[in-house]
Amino acid sequence: MADEKMPQTITLIASGDLRDSANQVCWEAQKDMESRLVAAIESLGHSVVRGHEFDEARGHGFIRSQRQGMDVFREIDPDAPLIVAEAVWQYSHHILAGLTTHRGPILTVANWSGQWPGLVGLLNLNGSLTKAGVQYSSLWSKEFADAVFLDKLKSWLDTGSVAHEMSHVTPYEITSCDASTRALALQIAETLQREKAILGVFDEGCMGMFNAIIPDHLLHATGVFKERLSQSALYFESQQVSDEEAQAVRDWLDQAGMKFHTGPNHETDLTDAQILGQCRVYIAAMRIADDFGCDAIGIQYQQGLKDLLPASDLVEGMLNDSVRPPVFSRDGSRELYAGGPLTHFNEVDECAGLDGLITNRVHSALGQPVENTLHDLRWSDRDASGTTDEEVWVLEISGAVPASHFENGWADAEGFRQPPMYFPSGGSTIRGISKPGEVVWSRIFVEDDRLHMDLGRATSIELPAEETQRRWDATTPQWPIMHAVLHGVSRDEMMARHKANHIQVAYANSADEADLAMRAKASVANQLGMVVNYCGVRPDAH
């Protein structure tokens, strides 16, 4: 493309949710974003044609299914320069088929806003394209009129590619770990490969996240195998749980101090019946995991179970915590997974499942907190309160957060109804503010048919209540939040490098111990055959 002139006309498409309820609510934000983006492109002498029309009957202009995406791509010139514009969460598989055979230059673009998870959708698409081996460039902006964005947009319009700074990426070297850390990592890796482990996958492939599925041959090389389970079985098992067992879990949560905000209307409120439904799923999930000897499990939930059961978020947070209601075998003779979490990977993100399993073993061996979870890399902003001059990331996720990540555990947890546009059957979230502390973050992804791990360091900081509320109001106030300052990596470097919508986080007891845990996990991943890179650490951490 560098030797050819970009055609004057750019084709624009927008992938959306599978749920029209979400697409309709989010359409105005998408429309506004597209108008700003088109104006920027036209200011640089090009024109834009939309690859698909606004659907009057459905009330939005998103591609809403894989079938529709294939049909849209049939009408697009395969050599045309193509922009995928995203202001919302989107299902990457809606457009992945067409993108895999598109020959023209591809640019993914998102608006820098926390309102709807457009940045999250962009990162999922980028990770999916990376796994699929599709070449693409990526940009993001708040107003689409700033000099940095326009300069990079012009680069893509002129050459078909955009370059981003990547100096924060440092390949793992064995010398970054001392001999004792390497020995510990080797022991953990050899034990995993020799004794093996099982990820219990309740229906593979959630919300079009192609990047979240690890090919079996890559996973098997680490010593980890999938037990493919059915959400139908989970639904059935949940119906076998007695009212008394479900109520005992609810009573435990109440006694632990969790505050549920309930109401009478099933369609709009969190109800006691929804909470009891979640308690049943919690027990059922642990019993099925025990049946199959699973070391970690992932529940897809959002398609399928959403029409039958309340959301699994409360379930996932309980599973990921060492401090949780006890669950017993069906005959009452054994407590299941006593004394620790049953690692859960939200939205059956298998990369997060493998990461969570490794994190649990590394932190256990080092005597560090074993509770870990994924978050969405949702959005970042400067701190309006002046507490810090650092860029502060909003890490949020609808489920999976253990209450041990809050200052006072379950006493700091609140339960709100999941937003109806995503979750028609409701269910409680686990809302809280992640406590201040030292954090190791990581992400496993697939590129060039190999497993990769990026990891780095962060600090979870405390912000004033008004600033926390501003950030909740700018995103999803029902969900838990972490105020994360990432070390040694700028906002744009993080966006340019990160190959997933999700980021794994775990606490350590001090900065030095977090650095050690990061190095140990990097070494384990290296021993398991992954390509490992430090992507943001303290200057003296490696």
Side-chain angles (χ1 to χ4, degrees):
M1 186 69 208
D3 297 327
E4 302 175 14
K5 186 174 178 61
M6 177 83 81
Q8 288 298 111
T9 302
I10 313 299
T11 301
L12 183 148
I13 64 172
S15 178
D17 207 291
L18 189 68
R19 297 160 288 200
D20 278 335
S21 56
N23 288 328
Q24 291 159 1
V25 170
C26 300
W27 173 245
E28 284 304 313
Q30 176 73 22
K31 183 180 176 182
D32 176 70
M33 178 258 200
E34 288 188 21
S35 69
R36 295 170 188 265
L37 176 58
V38 169
I41 295 169
E42 290 177 343
S43 75
L44 295 172
H46 291 258
S47 60
V48 178
V49 59
R50 215 165 186 276
H52 50 102
E53 299 299 322
F54 179 87
D55 189 325
E56 294 285 353
R58 293 190 180 277
H60 64 81
F62 293 107
I63 296 171
R64 63 176 297 277
S65 70
Q66 182 169 236
R67 177 76 271 159
Q68 183 188 358
M70 291 177 178
D71 293 343
V72 166
F73 269 92
R74 286 200 188 104
E75 305 303 318
I76 294 175
D77 178 355
D79 294 307
L82 181 69
I83 291 179
V84 184
E86 296 298 340
V88 302
W89 167 252
Q90 58 83 41
Y91 282 42
S92 293
H93 84 297
H94 291 173
I95 57 175
L96 187 62
L99 291 172
T100 60
T101 54
H102 191 76
R103 297 189 296 263
I106 298 168
L107 178 68
T108 65
V109 182
N111 61 331
W112 197 265
S113 169
Q115 180 188 18
W116 307 121
L119 295 168
V120 182
L122 176 87
L123 288 169
N124 180 263
L125 179 58
N126 290 353
S128 296
L129 292 173
T130 296
K131 178 187 171 187
V134 176
Q135 295 297 312
Y136 66 94
S137 297
S138 194
L139 286 175
W140 44 89
S141 180
K142 184 176 182 180
E143 299 293 343
F144 301 98
D146 58 282
V148 172
F149 173 77
L150 290 174
D151 182 63
K152 289 187 179 294
L153 177 62
K154 185 177 186 303
S155 173
W156 185 77
L157 291 171
D158 289 344
T159 69
S161 66
V162 174
H164 291 285
E165 178 63 44
M166 292 286 186
S167 61
H168 68 292
V169 180
T170 304
Y172 168 86
E173 294 181 1
I174 196 168
T175 54
S176 68
C177 295
D178 58 36
S180 62
T181 302
R182 292 199 303 270
L184 175 66
L186 179 61
Q187 181 183 21
I188 293 171
E190 287 184 338
T191 299
L192 183 58
Q193 290 178 313
R194 181 181 65 254
E195 298 182 359
K196 301 182 173 45
I198 295 174
L199 298 183
V201 179
F202 282 98
D203 289 341
E204 195 165 50
C206 182
M207 298 191 297
M209 297 192 303
F210 175 71
N211 69 315
I213 302 171
I214 299 178
D216 284 34
H217 68 284
L218 298 183
L219 186 63
H220 294 174
T222 70
V224 180
F225 292 73
K226 301 177 193 178
E227 189 74 58
R228 288 178 168 85
L229 304 169
S230 170
Q231 291 195 120
S232 299
L234 182 59
Y235 172 74
F236 175 80
E237 186 67 35
S238 73
Q239 303 308 295
Q240 311 314 303
V241 175
S242 69
D243 293 344
E244 293 75 18
E245 289 175 311
Q247 187 63 51
V249 172
R250 169 68 192 272
D251 291 344
W252 188 99
L253 292 168
D254 289 339
Q255 291 163 13
M258 185 170 181
K259 302 172 185 65
F260 292 102
H261 300 269
T262 58
N265 188 318
H266 173 75
E267 284 69 32
T268 57
D269 296 327
L270 174 65
T271 66
D272 290 318
Q274 291 169 13
I275 299 168
L276 285 177
Q278 292 175 296
C279 294
R280 287 187 171 87
V281 174
Y282 168 64
I283 295 170
M286 294 204 75
R287 285 176 175 166
I288 292 176
D290 177 65
D291 288 343
F292 289 91
C294 297
D295 297 273
I297 62 170
I299 302 169
Q300 180 186 152
Y301 170 70
Q302 295 212 25
Q303 298 306 329
L305 279 189
K306 71 175 175 59
D307 301 312
L308 295 170
L309 291 169
S312 56
D313 304 83
L314 177 61
V315 176
E316 298 165 17
M318 287 190 282
L319 292 171
N320 271 334
D321 211 321
S322 297
V323 181
R324 54 176 175 75
V327 175
F328 295 90
S329 56
R330 295 175 187 83
D331 62 5
S333 64
R334 292 180 298 116
E335 183 178 351
L336 307 182
Y337 298 90
L342 168 57
T343 299
H344 180 278
F345 40 108
N346 182 254
E347 296 163 351
V348 291
D349 184 339
E350 295 166 4
C351 296
L354 179 59
D355 197 333
L357 182 65
I358 294 170
T359 301
N360 182 288
R361 296 194 179 194
V362 169
H363 280 236
S364 180
L366 293 174
Q368 297 302 307
V370 296
E371 286 82 10
N372 69 104
T373 183
L374 60 78
H375 275 284
D376 281 340
L377 193 65
R378 179 68 180 263
W379 173 62
S380 76
D381 196 17
R382 306 300 291 182
D383 168 29
S385 72
T387 301
T388 178
D389 293 331
E390 301 279 0
E391 186 85 4
V392 183
W393 282 90
V394 173
L395 304 187
E396 288 182 340
I397 192 63
S398 66
V401 175
S404 289
H405 281 193
F406 307 150
E407 188 71 57
N408 299 299
W410 289 103
D412 284 349
E414 295 181 90
F416 290 87
R417 191 199 192 279
Q418 281 285 15
M421 73 174 183
Y422 294 129
F423 303 93
S425 298
S428 176
T429 60
I430 301 179
R431 190 180 90 149
I433 304 166
S434 292
K435 61 189 175 185
E438 298 301 323
V439 171
V440 180
W441 69 262
S442 51
R443 176 63 193 182
I444 291 172
F445 61 97
V446 179
E447 184 174 14
D448 296 329
D449 201 34
R450 291 195 66 181
L451 286 176
H452 294 242
M453 176 186 279
D454 284 356
L455 72 171
R457 285 274 284 104
T459 301
S460 176
I461 67 170
E462 183 176 3
L463 292 176
E466 311 81 55
E467 175 65 1
T468 298
Q469 192 61 51
R470 181 182 79 87
R471 290 166 177 265
W472 259 330
D473 290 342
T475 53
T476 306
Q478 298 91 340
W479 293 356
I481 191 170
M482 176 182 280
H483 304 308
V485 174
L486 305 184
H487 298 184
V489 52
S490 71
R491 183 198 83 170
D492 289 344
E493 287 172 337
M494 190 68 184
M495 285 294 299
R497 170 67 186 183
H498 205 64
K499 303 299 184 185
N501 46 315
H502 291 148
I503 184 171
Q504 202 79 11
V505 296
Y507 282 91
N509 293 325
S510 70
D512 288 342
E513 288 167 297
D515 291 343
L516 174 61
M518 177 191 68
R519 291 193 296 267
K521 183 154 69 168
S523 189
V524 170
N526 174 258
Q527 294 283 355
L528 293 173
M530 299 185 204
V531 179
V532 181
N533 282 285
Y534 296 116
C535 290
V537 299
R538 294 194 305 159
D540 59 346
H542 71 275

